[in-house]
Amino acid sequence: MKNAQTGFTLYLANTGVVHAAVRRMQVWPSHPDYDDLVEEGMLIYIAYYQRYRDAVRTKAERVKFNKLAGLFVYYGLLKIINREERRPAVHERSARKEPPAETDPQDAIVRQLDDSINEAVISELRNRLSPREREVFEAMYDQALTRAETIVLLRLSQSNLTNLLRRIHAKYQKLKAADTELTSER
């Protein structure tokens, strides 16, 4: 199996492939979803590289790969968009049932940490995190990386990242609740 880092390096040298696939969908850089689609396209590009059987060493091999990868990214993004369009009622129902903090752990933890900026709680949170959770926390909170960048940097799947963010969020909620109790008792 090919290395994701090599795939990312190839992507960086050929970012136009993903941008062309997004523009082929009639989504332009001024569109609010453009950056999100480019990030998703990058992940599809890298995943395709990892599954690609042939070598990508020469210019001709790279051209062939990029043509195929462009189609793969285009159809992968279409699949994502169609899935989202088919499920608006499901998303709407789940948004009504769950508070936003439950829907996207990344947004919740960043929003809550930015709001409270309590260094003692953050310091204690860092002490309670597992090594892998600490890596994710540092990448997303300290370095302000996006989900896609964190996935590539730490070599995680999307589901693993979501699970790690949920665990970090749960530990943060416990610390915040304990801190609130101590403050109210005083």
Side-chain angles (χ1 to χ4, degrees), residues 9-23:
T9 304
L10 183 64
Y11 164 76
L12 290 176
N14 300 285
T15 57
V17 173
V18 173
H19 287 275
V22 173
R23 286 191 307 269

Side-chain angles (χ1 to χ4, degrees), residues 92-160:
E92 189 176 309
R93 278 196 308 270
S94 65
R96 277 186 264 136
K97 289 180 184 175
E98 301 177 48
E102 300 289 328
T103 314
D104 190 353
Q106 176 191 353
D107 290 346
I109 195 165
V110 170
R111 191 170 42 252
Q112 289 178 353
L113 288 173
D114 285 344
D115 289 345
S116 64
I117 308 189
N118 186 340
E119 286 302 318
V121 173
I122 292 173
S123 175
E124 183 61 28
L125 175 62
R126 283 182 201 276
N127 294 334
R128 293 187 182 195
L129 295 177
S130 70
R132 195 62 166 165
E133 291 168 346
R134 193 173 300 115
E135 286 178 341
V136 169
F137 182 79
E138 289 170 356
M140 296 188 82
Y141 183 70
D142 295 342
Q143 299 173 22
L145 298 179
T146 64
R147 279 177 163 256
E149 292 167 336
T150 303
I151 286 170
V152 171
L153 177 71
L154 299 177
R155 297 184 178 151
L156 295 168
S157 68
Q158 289 182 0
S159 60
N160 283 344

Side-chain angles (χ1 to χ4, degrees), residues 29-120:
S30 60
H31 193 277
D33 292 335
Y34 185 82
D35 291 333
D36 291 334
L37 289 172
V38 169
E39 283 184 13
E40 289 293 332
M42 175 193 65
L43 294 174
I44 294 169
Y45 184 95
I46 293 168
Y48 181 66
Y49 172 76
Q50 289 179 301
R51 290 192 303 267
Y52 190 69
R53 294 180 187 197
D54 297 337
V56 184
R57 290 184 292 255
T58 67
K59 184 177 180 178
E61 291 169 342
R62 191 171 44 248
V63 168
K64 177 184 173 186
F65 170 78
N66 282 329
K67 284 181 181 179
L68 293 171
L71 287 172
F72 197 83
V73 169
Y74 172 72
Y75 288 117
L77 292 174
L78 279 179
K79 185 187 281 186
I80 290 170
I81 288 175
N82 288 335
R83 187 179 328 133
E84 293 299 318
E85 288 174 354
R86 282 193 309 254
R87 299 184 188 183
V90 173
H91 292 302
E92 189 176 309
R93 278 196 308 270
S94 65
R96 277 186 264 136
K97 289 180 184 175
E98 301 177 48
E102 300 289 328
T103 314
D104 190 353
Q106 176 191 353
D107 290 346
I109 195 165
V110 170
R111 191 170 42 252
Q112 289 178 353
L113 288 173
D114 285 344
D115 289 345
S116 64
I117 308 189
N118 186 340
E119 286 302 318

